[in-house]
Amino acid sequence: MKKVAVIMGSASDLPVVRKAAETLRSFGVPFEVHVYSAHRTPAQAAQFAREARERGFGALIAAAGMAAHLAGALAAQTTLPVIGIPLKSNALDGVDALLSTVQMPSGIPVATVAIDGAVNAALLAVQILAVEDAGLAKKLDGHRAAGAEKALAADAAAAEELSAL
């Protein structure tokens, strides 16, 4: 099975990135976590992205806030799928990171999830790997079914509670 790289621009991003790691672990997807900055360690970030395919990675997740150039910087160095997680900041509530992550030039795509959307970033990475992994696809089907069951249980509970009014 291919691995997923989860790269954050700063160690302060760990609380959000932890959710991606937990999600990948729940699916049994091997992953590595690194702190590489598009601005402070650009050479290391670029080298990692250039070598990722040969090192057995199938997708990269990049979490960054504010200027949020990390996902684009990685995508410029690899043809592997890159998924950006724009992170919330104090200045503009993460809108700056969202725009920096989603507004990529033609030819260098970055899939972008919601602000602080680490779980969806991990799920998207799992879906990408599941294209060629039937076992992983089956786990995704089970995950979706469990989500539907939970939603239907909430529906029944709400209907019961409100019908008693």
Side-chain angles (χ1 to χ4, degrees):
M1 177 184 298
K2 298 280 187 186
K3 301 182 287 187
V4 173
V6 183
I7 303 168
M8 63 192 110
S10 169
S12 65
D13 303 333
L14 190 57
V16 173
V17 168
R18 180 176 283 113
K19 295 173 188 171
E22 290 168 351
T23 302
L24 292 168
R25 182 173 288 116
S26 75
F27 281 91
V29 173
F31 63 91
E32 290 183 16
V33 177
H34 297 281
V35 178
Y36 293 132
S37 168
H39 303 108
R40 293 182 211 93
T41 59
Q44 291 84 353
Q47 181 178 357
F48 183 89
R50 281 193 303 270
E51 297 173 355
R53 186 181 300 277
E54 291 77 32
R55 293 188 51 217
F57 291 93
L60 309 179
I61 296 173
M66 300 171 73
H69 294 124
L70 183 59
L74 295 173
Q77 300 296 324
T78 186
T79 56
L80 289 173
V82 176
I83 303 161
I85 306 171
L87 300 175
K88 187 175 182 177
S89 64
N90 292 332
L92 298 172
D93 270 349
V95 173
D96 50 343
L98 174 64
L99 294 174
S100 294
T101 305
V102 78
Q103 291 289 77
M104 293 300 300
S106 292
I108 309 295
V110 170
T112 308
V113 296
I115 296 168
D116 288 350
V119 172
N120 272 352
L123 287 171
L124 182 54
V126 172
Q127 288 178 296
I128 290 167
L129 299 183
V131 167
E132 294 192 3
D133 187 323
L136 206 48
K138 187 173 180 160
K139 288 180 183 179
L140 280 165
D141 289 341
H143 178 76
R144 290 275 178 102
E149 287 177 24
K150 185 177 177 181
L152 291 172
D155 171 62
E160 183 179 332
E161 180 179 333
L162 294 178
S163 68
L165 294 179

